Amino acid sequence: MNSNVVSLIPKTPDANYVKNFRPIAIVNFKFKIISKILANRLAIVAARIISPNQYGFVQGRQIHDCIGIAFKAIYMLSKTIRGGNVTYKVDIHKAFDTLRWKFLLLVLTHFGFHSSFVSWISTILRSTMLSIRIMAVWWVFFFL
């Protein structure tokens, strides 16, 4: 029930590299409903347990607000000099790849989520199956 397919459709006829493909996810509809129900239950308390400094994935907060804050900070740094100013650009591109699911379950337990809820999340994480389908170029153009 929790199996998903990522289809890679070539962007160009001579696609030889992964970056030349467009991924399209095909998700089981029934399981999408279950995960949406759990996400909505989590959203009720997310704003109370996630720091106000975190903007992603919380209702009422926009990730784009971070861009405005960053621009303001850089502007202030360029105008004010107190012993020198330093700006760092941190690449968090792979941040989600390094999260351990066991850690996530421990955090949910620590925040007081019911053991049934944590068990449902654990089941989702353990049961996920992902397949990657690479479509032939002639097949894609046949249906376009």
Side-chain angles (χ1 to χ4, degrees):
M1 191 157 129
N2 193 8
S3 59
N4 307 290
V5 177
V6 175
S7 294
L8 299 178
I9 299 175
K11 294 178 184 177
T12 60
D14 59 338
N16 295 326
Y17 300 99
V18 174
K19 67 181 181 178
N20 295 338
F21 289 87
R22 176 175 290 117
I24 296 178
I26 302 168
V27 181
N28 184 314
F29 183 72
K30 293 175 190 172
F31 202 79
K32 184 75 172 172
I33 292 171
I34 294 169
S35 60
K36 188 66 174 176
I37 290 169
L38 292 175
N40 286 341
R41 287 185 177 190
L42 184 62
I44 295 169
V45 296
R48 291 188 306 226
I49 63 174
I50 296 176
S51 168
N53 300 329
Q54 302 295 320
Y55 283 85
F57 309 110
V58 177
Q59 189 174 12
R61 300 183 197 172
Q62 300 294 323
I63 193 74
H64 297 92
D65 293 343
C66 294
I67 297 169
I69 292 169
F71 278 123
K72 284 182 182 179
I74 291 170
Y75 176 78
M76 290 174 63
L77 283 173
S78 67
K79 297 294 179 191
T80 307
I81 298 175
R82 294 187 183 119
N85 296 322
V86 177
T87 304
Y88 288 103
K89 179 184 176 224
V90 180
D91 183 11
I92 58 168
H93 179 71
K94 294 186 178 186
F96 293 105
D97 295 338
T98 59
L99 181 66
R100 300 242 187 266
W101 298 127
K102 187 174 181 179
F103 173 75
L104 174 66
L105 299 173
L106 288 172
V107 168
L108 289 173
T109 303
H110 175 74
F111 274 108
F113 285 90
H114 195 273
S115 60
S116 295
F117 185 84
V118 177
S119 176
W120 294 335
I121 300 296
S122 176
T123 301
I124 289 172
L125 296 173
R126 283 186 285 114
S127 67
T128 302
M129 192 170 81
L130 179 69
S131 301
I132 298 178
R133 178 181 299 149
I134 300 174
M135 297 181 176
V137 175
W138 64 268
W139 191 86
V140 172
F141 289 114
F142 178 76
F143 287 102
L144 292 178

